[in-house]
Amino acid sequence: MSFLILTGMSGAGKTQATKFLEDIGYFCIDNMPLKLFSKFGEMYKHSEFTSKKTALVTDVRSGDDFSDLYHFIEDMKEIGEQIKVVFIDCSDAVILNRYKENKRLHPLAEDGNNVNAIEEERQKLAHLRTLSDVIIDTSAYSVWELKKNIVKLFGSADEETGIKVNLISFE
């Protein structure tokens, strides 16, 4: 079994990274509430969970008390499961530009100020970032460069990463 905890800055590319993980065979749960990590861990320990590769995606949308996540990570390590924390990051300027291009507000921008929201999010995620096993900075990445990096880090050599085409002919 292999667990990834995918987290990081809003607007840095977590959604795209999640899609790429699904493409290489990960079972992904996006926007997992922090309080559910301990429940998920208990269910996992007492079930026949069959997915070999699982990615649990969370960020500040799920709350700001990460203690349940930290306990989950320790519990999984205690029972011998492989677990990696992956932090997707990006420069503030690039995040601001991405929100501007999409005409969206940052999830913490209740007052409409994306700059303050990004600063607040950095503070809330600072400890989690220091605990991360892998930090991917997408500041200079295209979406395809992110995919290449995700596949390189978490895919296996025998997995196909190109376009899959099914051709069906009717006579």
Side-chain angles (χ1 to χ4, degrees), residues 90-160:
C90 194
S91 73
D92 291 355
V94 172
I95 291 173
L96 282 169
N97 191 49
R98 289 177 183 172
Y99 276 110
K100 183 179 175 183
E101 286 175 355
N102 294 322
K103 295 181 174 64
R104 297 185 66 210
L105 285 177
H106 186 282
L108 299 179
E110 294 175 4
D111 62 355
N113 188 331
N114 282 342
V115 174
N116 291 344
I118 291 168
E119 184 178 311
E120 179 183 350
E121 182 178 32
R122 283 216 185 273
Q123 291 170 0
K124 289 181 177 185
L125 296 178
H127 182 66
L128 186 55
R129 189 180 195 281
T130 62
L131 296 177
S132 297
D133 300 296
V134 178
I135 298 172
I136 301 172
D137 186 337
T138 65
S139 298
Y141 279 11
S142 70
V143 81
W144 304 116
E145 289 168 318
L146 176 59
K147 180 177 184 174
K148 182 179 174 184
N149 201 7
I150 293 291
V151 170
K152 183 174 112 183
L153 288 169
F154 306 111
S156 63
D158 60 340
E159 290 174 329
E160 295 179 39

Side-chain angles (χ1 to χ4, degrees), residues 7-131:
T7 190
M9 294 297 293
S10 300
K14 286 186 309 298
T15 300
Q16 292 299 324
T18 301
K19 290 176 186 177
F20 300 143
L21 287 169
E22 287 175 340
D23 289 347
I24 59 175
Y26 274 80
F27 173 73
C28 297
I29 302 173
D30 193 7
N31 201 15
M32 179 120 161
L34 293 166
K35 292 290 183 195
L36 289 183
F37 274 93
S38 58
K39 301 291 183 198
F40 183 85
E42 287 301 314
M43 284 181 7
Y44 172 76
K45 289 183 211 176
H46 297 82
S47 73
E48 300 278 330
F49 197 75
T50 58
S51 180
K52 297 272 188 247
K53 300 187 291 187
T54 303
L56 305 173
V57 186
T58 193
D59 57 32
V60 294
R61 297 172 296 165
S62 302
D64 55 8
D65 179 10
F66 289 94
S67 59
D68 284 315
L69 174 59
Y70 302 142
H71 291 302
F72 171 78
I73 292 168
E74 289 306 313
D75 287 349
M76 291 297 105
K77 286 181 179 179
E78 282 178 13
I79 63 170
E81 296 298 343
Q82 291 182 344
I83 189 162
K84 284 191 178 189
V85 179
V86 180
F87 194 94
I88 307 292
D89 204 353
C90 194
S91 73
D92 291 355
V94 172
I95 291 173
L96 282 169
N97 191 49
R98 289 177 183 172
Y99 276 110
K100 183 179 175 183
E101 286 175 355
N102 294 322
K103 295 181 174 64
R104 297 185 66 210
L105 285 177
H106 186 282
L108 299 179
E110 294 175 4
D111 62 355
N113 188 331
N114 282 342
V115 174
N116 291 344
I118 291 168
E119 184 178 311
E120 179 183 350
E121 182 178 32
R122 283 216 185 273
Q123 291 170 0
K124 289 181 177 185
L125 296 178
H127 182 66
L128 186 55
R129 189 180 195 281
T130 62
L131 296 177

